[in-house]
């Protein structure tokens, strides 16, 4: 069984400040991990993914995440927040690399607000 | 990127009636489509997986006779909520996958169903 926990349903940061969104997972097999972003009235968009290899993963819009097996974490960061980053962010886990055709287990989401 | 649309984006129906939600892949052919359900402040929960031309595979606890899924073509899947009740009110999201489109699920913008 797999599960994802996102700490903090709401996070507010000032424009230009560091963004840190937390995600912890539970998986009985090596996980494949993802972050998605959802803007109002739009579908989920893939930000980045970890499958194998380098544990620091870079994604779109300046976001990155680091897979830490010992901490079962996959936190999302961005050095400098921009107003356009305001959205809902979802962490997800899959048990196979063929995640396009495999069940994704999602966290409850974190709403990111940027303070001007 | 690939675009997935859903129609309608918002629907209100009376208890006991049925409502159909469409999910379309606009610029690619989707061999697999997924239907998710999202309650407020909760995770996206996978309801079923459908492959074009075959019966949908439902997740445990999802009533297949209540949530009818038809994946009749490579660009269209429909979810019909039959004999809807207020507890069926939720946000329904579809995603589409194509091996040719890369190993990623592309998500629709969701449909808000309210049953009165």
């Amino acid at each position: 069984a797999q599960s994802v926990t996102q700490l903090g349903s709401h996070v507010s940061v000032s424009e230009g400040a560091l963004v840190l969104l937390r995600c912890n997972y539970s998986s009985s097999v090596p996980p494949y991990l993802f972050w998605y972003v959802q803007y109002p009235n739009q579908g989920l968009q893939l930000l980045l993914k970890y499958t194998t290899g380098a544990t620091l993963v870079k994604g779109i819009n300046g976001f990155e995440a680091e897979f830490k097996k010992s901490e079962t974490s996959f936190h999302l960061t961005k050095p400098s927040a921009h107003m356009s980053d305001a959205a809902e962010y979802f962490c997800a886990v899959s048990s196979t690399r063929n995640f396009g055709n495999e069940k994704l287990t999602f966290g409850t989401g974190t709403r990111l607000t940027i303070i001007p | 990127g690939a675009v997935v649309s859903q129609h309608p984006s918002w629907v209100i129906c009376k208890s006991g009636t049925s409502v159909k939600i469409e999910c379309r892949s606009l610029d690619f052919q989707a061999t697999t489509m997924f239907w998710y359900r999202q309650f407020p402040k909760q995770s996206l929960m996978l309801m079923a997986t459908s492959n074009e031309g075959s019966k949908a595979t439902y997740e445990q606890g999802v009533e297949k006779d209540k949530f009818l899924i038809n994946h009749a073509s490579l660009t269209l899947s429909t979810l019909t909520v039959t004999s809807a009740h207020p507890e069926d009110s939720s946000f329904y999201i579809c995603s589409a996958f194509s091996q040719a489109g890369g190993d990623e699920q592309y998500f629709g913008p969701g449909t808000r169903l309210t049953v009165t």
Side-chain angles (χ1 to χ4, degrees):
Chain A
Q2 299 167 301
S3 66
V4 175
T5 301
Q6 289 184 241
L7 298 176
S9 58
H10 290 85
V11 171
S12 296
V13 301
S14 298
E15 188 175 16
L18 171 71
V19 175
L20 170 61
L21 304 183
R22 299 179 186 275
C23 172
N24 288 88
Y25 70 90
S26 173
S27 177
S28 57
V29 297
Y32 298 95
L33 297 157
F34 318 93
W35 276 99
Y36 287 86
V37 61
Q38 185 179 32
Y39 298 102
N41 301 315
Q42 296 186 30
L44 276 70
Q45 180 183 7
L46 182 65
L47 270 179
L48 49 79
K49 63 187 179 189
Y50 167 79
T51 53
T52 58
T55 56
L56 182 61
V57 180
K58 295 186 183 298
I60 62 173
N61 301 338
F63 285 94
E64 62 183 35
E66 186 171 11
F67 169 60
K68 292 187 177 180
K69 183 178 179 180
S70 62
E71 298 178 9
T72 62
S73 69
F74 191 58
H75 301 331
L76 181 71
T77 60
K78 181 174 180 177
S80 177
H82 191 273
M83 295 300 294
S84 61
D85 295 327
E88 187 89 18
Y89 291 80
F90 292 93
C91 182
V93 63
S94 172
S95 61
T96 72
R97 183 174 185 173
N98 187 24
F99 71 94
N101 201 25
E102 187 60 57
K103 175 180 178 180
L104 290 170
T105 300
F106 285 89
T108 52
T110 298
R111 182 168 297 279
L112 177 64
T113 300
I114 310 299
I115 303 168
Chain B
V3 179
V4 175
S5 70
Q6 285 185 238
H7 178 79
S9 57
W10 179 67
V11 58
I12 299 175
C13 70
K14 292 185 177 181
S15 186
T17 63
S18 295
V19 61
K20 179 184 289 187
I21 301 170
E22 294 185 348
C23 176
R24 293 181 184 272
S25 55
L26 298 184
D27 50 2
F28 68 102
Q29 293 185 324
T31 51
T32 305
M33 287 186 170
F34 302 85
W35 286 96
Y36 294 85
R37 182 174 181 178
Q38 185 180 26
F39 291 104
K41 299 184 179 180
Q42 295 189 28
S43 301
L44 279 74
M45 301 298 295
L46 181 66
M47 299 175 66
T49 303
S50 73
N51 294 292
E52 187 266 338
S54 62
K55 291 183 178 180
T57 301
Y58 290 82
E59 294 297 301
Q60 190 174 10
V62 177
E63 300 176 62
K64 61 181 181 181
D65 294 329
K66 181 169 185 62
F67 298 99
L68 302 179
I69 292 172
N70 185 0
H71 193 165
S73 77
L74 286 172
T75 59
L76 174 64
S77 176
T78 60
L79 167 67
T80 301
V81 182
T82 63
S83 186
H85 288 94
E87 57 264 31
D88 298 325
S89 299
S90 189
F91 194 56
Y92 294 87
I93 301 173
C94 73
S95 69
F97 167 76
S98 168
Q99 196 79 47
D103 53 351
E104 178 178 345
Q105 289 185 31
Y106 297 96
F107 286 81
T111 296
R112 173 76 59 191
L113 170 63
T114 301
V115 184
T116 62

